Amino acid sequence: MSKQTDDFFKNVISHAKEYGFVFPSSEIYDGLSAVYDYGQLGAELKNNLKTYWWKAMVQLHENIVGIDAAIFMHPTTWKASGHIDGFNDPMIDNKDSKKRYRADQLIEDKIARYETDGKTEKAQRLQTDLNSALNDDDLPRLKVIIEEHNIVCPMSGTKNWTDVRQFNLMFSTQMGASAEGADTVYLRPETAQGIFVNFLNVQKSGRMKIPFGIAQIGKAFRNEVIARQFIMRMREFEQMEMQFFVRPGTELEWYGKWKETRLKWHLALGGEQTKYRYHDHVKLAHYANAAVDIEYDFPFGFKEVEGIHSRTDFDLSQHQKFSGKKLQYFDPEINQNYVPYVIETSIGLDRLFLTVLCNSFEEQDLSTEDKQDSRSVLHFHPTLAPIKAAILPLTKKDGLPDKAREILSRLKMDYNVQYDEKDSIGKRYRRQDAIGTPCCITVDYQSLEDDTVTLRHRDSMEQERVAAVDLEKIIGDLVGWKNLLGAL
Ligand code: GAP
């Protein structure tokens, strides 16, 4: 990361904390690594992002329905899905610092350093070595690479490493009143399995015909060995996943459609096209016949925000095998029973939140020849903004607050609006810019005479005089969901 992008990212993180978007979890106890809380504005933004996804996936598609499955699932679910045996990261400990690292990430950091130092060939060779060790699950080889490239522990500075071991990323706990006889259950590491085990329930109760999809938003938990980059890699996070069930043989056509549809959804948020790219997987998981990541250009480089996977009939077949229950569909068009194939779209809500923060945050220099001036602004899409409008009486007297509160009580029925009478009007505008409020409504002395107000726009900072009676419509036109959904 260059100094400039590093500073930008630090400013995004401190802005998010200062204005109530994201706080470190249990901060008064010095926080909990890789766990974060969303504050009063962060919760609103997150809810709006969930609504955007839900409306785009469920409301706009006649053949997609949404569910809300429990976080705890029968332990056999995770045996069937392969998570108990295979959901691992290669981990290594430094014996001096007692710190634990992901072996592959230590090597990736070394590759990045070679690249920064202009040692491109060395970086490429190391990348090839790493890929082949990971592909072969060759843990001793990972240790040899670490030693050969003199990779030291960032804390102790020594090379006193343990062997590389596999570390399962699932959190487990006990279900039942007494530890004796209690069953080990897992905090789900993905929401997808809650969809697969409910495939027949939804298909039958909803009389769904293939092709159809089941969508879900919910928490997932992974005991990530290395947590970094703010809310990018967390131990408790939220996923928005959709499994689309199709007739075998049609899956690659649907995969292509979903790949396109999902990128369009990201672009509708207003970010530059060059900030997004596809990363097609060359090496596929054993159950997939196509997979791609949608990556966003974060301040620390292009990273995955969403995955689209053609998962064949792997998951349903596994659950069929482990449960002994048939998970098949009778297709009346071809008069056949089959286990459907699945296209999955899986996006991390917290990573999406971070793309929106990074895309929106700007520190603007507004200085003129006579005066130094600047503002921090979040250019959220108006539909996503936590607060849709702020209502500001010019002064605290002469009936202006009453008039402003009258407007507030009308608008709050439909929109999340805020009242603010503290400080100068200029300072109040700046506060609203900093939290991304698309417009401010100022009530002044003229308002008492002719029932008009000043409408001040966040991005252009332009002001116009409008009739108070038109405010519901003006705000509705500015922040309505069709502004986002219409672009899809
Ligand atoms: N069901 C498929 C699945 O879970 P994944 O690539 O492991 O696939 C999907 O995860 C998405 O979930 C990722 O693209 C990412 O946005 C998000 N995600 C995964 N691990 C995460 C973590 N530790 N913290 C935040 N988001 C995460």
Side-chain angles (χ1 to χ4, degrees):
M1 228 190 304
S2 72
K3 163 107 180 60
Q4 206 183 358
T5 47
D6 190 27
D7 287 349
F8 174 79
F9 193 43
K10 282 189 185 139
N11 291 343
V12 168
I13 296 171
S14 62
H15 191 88
K17 181 165 179 226
E18 186 181 346
Y19 287 94
F21 285 89
V22 184
F23 307 128
S25 160
S26 28
E27 196 186 8
I28 57 168
Y29 296 104
D30 295 334
L32 184 64
S33 171
V35 186
Y36 289 89
D37 296 338
Y38 286 83
Q40 64 280 16
L41 294 179
E44 295 287 348
L45 177 59
K46 212 171 164 205
N47 282 341
N48 292 341
L49 289 168
K50 286 191 215 180
T51 305
Y52 173 41
W53 186 84
W54 193 269
K55 281 182 183 288
M57 300 301 270
V58 178
Q59 194 171 312
L60 295 194
H61 289 97
E62 285 174 31
N63 58 348
I64 300 182
V65 290
I67 64 165
D68 184 11
I71 286 172
F72 289 131
M73 300 183 70
H74 192 285
T76 310
T77 308
W78 306 111
K79 193 76 194 150
S81 68
H83 283 84
I84 287 182
D85 296 324
F87 194 52
N88 301 316
D89 274 343
M91 157 208 104
I92 191 165
D93 290 13
N94 182 269
K95 292 181 198 162
D96 298 322
S97 67
K98 311 271 185 272
K99 286 277 167 199
R100 178 165 291 172
Y101 301 94
R102 259 178 68 172
D104 55 333
Q105 284 182 351
L106 278 178
I107 299 171
E108 271 168 11
D109 288 348
K110 188 74 180 181
I111 294 171
R113 277 200 298 282
Y114 282 151
E115 272 163 358
T116 317
D117 296 346
K119 297 175 181 165
T120 316
E121 256 182 52
K122 215 168 178 180
Q124 279 164 355
R125 269 205 311 277
L126 183 51
Q127 185 71 62
T128 313
D129 266 6
L130 172 64
N131 291 350
S132 97
L134 288 176
N135 286 346
D136 299 344
D137 266 336
D138 190 343
L139 302 184
R141 176 77 200 134
L142 285 176
K143 179 160 184 200
V144 170
I145 294 175
I146 287 172
E147 285 170 345
E148 277 178 0
H149 288 265
N150 290 317
I151 297 175
V152 295
C153 165
M155 295 288 287
S156 66
T158 71
K159 291 187 281 180
N160 196 5
W161 296 111
T162 61
D163 287 339
V164 178
R165 280 168 294 153
Q166 289 292 16
F167 176 74
N168 194 287
L169 298 184
M170 281 199 296
F171 285 102
S172 64
T173 186
Q174 304 298 314
M175 185 170 264
S178 67
E180 250 177 276
D183 268 328
T184 298
V185 288
Y186 298 92
L187 298 184
R188 66 182 177 197
E190 61 171 16
T191 61
Q193 300 304 324
I195 294 178
F196 290 125
V197 299
N198 278 299
F199 162 72
L200 266 195
N201 283 338
V202 175
Q203 191 272 317
K204 286 196 186 314
S205 60
R207 293 179 295 118
M208 306 301 290
K209 289 200 167 41
I210 272 180
F212 75 90
I214 306 178
Q216 176 169 220
I217 299 176
K219 290 267 185 178
F221 304 83
R222 295 183 189 179
N223 196 1
E224 300 283 359
V225 178
I226 293 258
R228 45 181 182 184
Q229 287 146 347
F230 191 36
I231 54 173
M232 184 72 194
R233 191 169 293 284
M234 300 157 86
R235 297 203 164 106
E236 174 181 341
F237 58 100
E238 232 166 319
Q239 287 185 317
M240 306 195 286
E241 298 200 294
M242 192 277 299
Q243 313 295 325
F244 198 70
F245 300 93
V246 303
R247 186 185 292 168
T250 65
E251 72 276 10
L252 291 181
E253 191 191 323
W254 283 110
Y255 168 76
K257 282 190 187 154
W258 279 112
K259 189 172 160 177
E260 226 174 84
T261 305
R262 292 304 305 152
L263 181 60
K264 208 166 163 197
W265 183 91
H266 284 273
L267 292 173
L269 288 166
E272 283 169 43
Q273 191 142 8
T274 53
K275 286 267 180 190
Y276 294 87
R277 72 178 187 196
Y278 288 126
H279 172 239
D280 290 295
H281 290 206
V282 181
K283 175 154 195 302
L284 295 168
H286 61 279
Y287 52 78
N289 61 6
V292 65
D293 296 336
I294 293 177
E295 294 186 336
Y296 175 79
D297 191 6
F298 289 98
F300 40 85
F302 273 100
K303 294 276 180 258
E304 172 187 353
V305 182
E306 171 155 7
I308 296 135
H309 314 118
S310 174
R311 300 181 65 111
T312 67
D313 59 354
F314 173 79
D315 303 271
L316 287 181
S317 296
Q318 283 291 101
H319 287 303
Q320 191 168 253
K321 186 169 132 200
F322 278 78
S323 68
K325 310 267 163 41
K326 270 201 171 164
L327 297 178
Q328 297 192 353
Y329 172 79
F330 175 72
D331 192 330
E333 282 179 27
I334 54 171
N335 215 19
Q336 261 181 36
N337 270 310
Y338 54 77
V339 177
Y341 273 41
V342 170
I343 308 302
E344 168 183 74
T345 71
S346 174
I347 175 170
L349 176 56
D350 311 271
R351 284 192 193 175
L352 172 69
F353 188 102
L354 190 55
T355 67
V356 170
L357 269 191
C358 292
N359 242 340
S360 312
F361 182 66
E362 189 187 9
E363 284 180 315
Q364 266 182 345
D365 185 0
L366 302 172
S367 301
T368 57
E369 273 183 14
D370 315 323
K371 199 169 105 191
Q372 291 258 323
D373 196 10
S374 66
R375 68 169 182 163
S376 297
V377 53
L378 284 167
H379 298 280
F380 293 139
H381 189 294
T383 311
L384 297 177
I387 308 293
K388 305 304 186 205
I391 300 131
L392 318 171
L394 190 62
T395 66
K396 279 193 221 170
K397 49 185 194 204
D398 302 329
L400 297 185
D402 296 339
K403 176 81 186 159
R405 285 201 174 275
E406 193 187 300
I407 294 173
L408 175 86
S409 55
R410 257 173 40 216
L411 291 180
K412 76 180 180 190
M413 291 297 143
D414 289 312
Y415 308 107
N416 195 15
V417 287
Q418 209 172 64
Y419 175 86
D420 189 6
E421 60 177 26
K422 195 166 173 285
D423 296 324
S424 72
I425 195 75
K427 275 195 182 158
R428 283 181 272 166
Y429 285 155
R430 289 288 187 272
R431 267 206 298 273
Q432 295 300 329
D433 292 342
I435 62 171
T437 307
C439 62
C440 292
I441 297 160
T442 308
V443 173
D444 56 17
Y445 289 98
Q446 191 184 331
S447 311
L448 300 180
E449 284 164 23
D450 63 4
D451 205 22
T452 62
V453 292
T454 300
L455 192 69
R456 186 253 188 197
H457 297 274
R458 175 195 68 201
D459 295 342
S460 63
M461 294 185 281
E462 277 170 12
Q463 303 190 6
E464 57 178 323
R465 201 78 200 171
V466 302
V469 69
D470 292 338
L471 281 171
E472 272 102 330
K473 170 149 179 25
I474 293 171
I475 309 285
D477 287 347
L478 184 67
V479 308
W481 281 103
K482 64 177 179 305
N483 296 341
L484 260 177
L485 300 174
L488 300 179

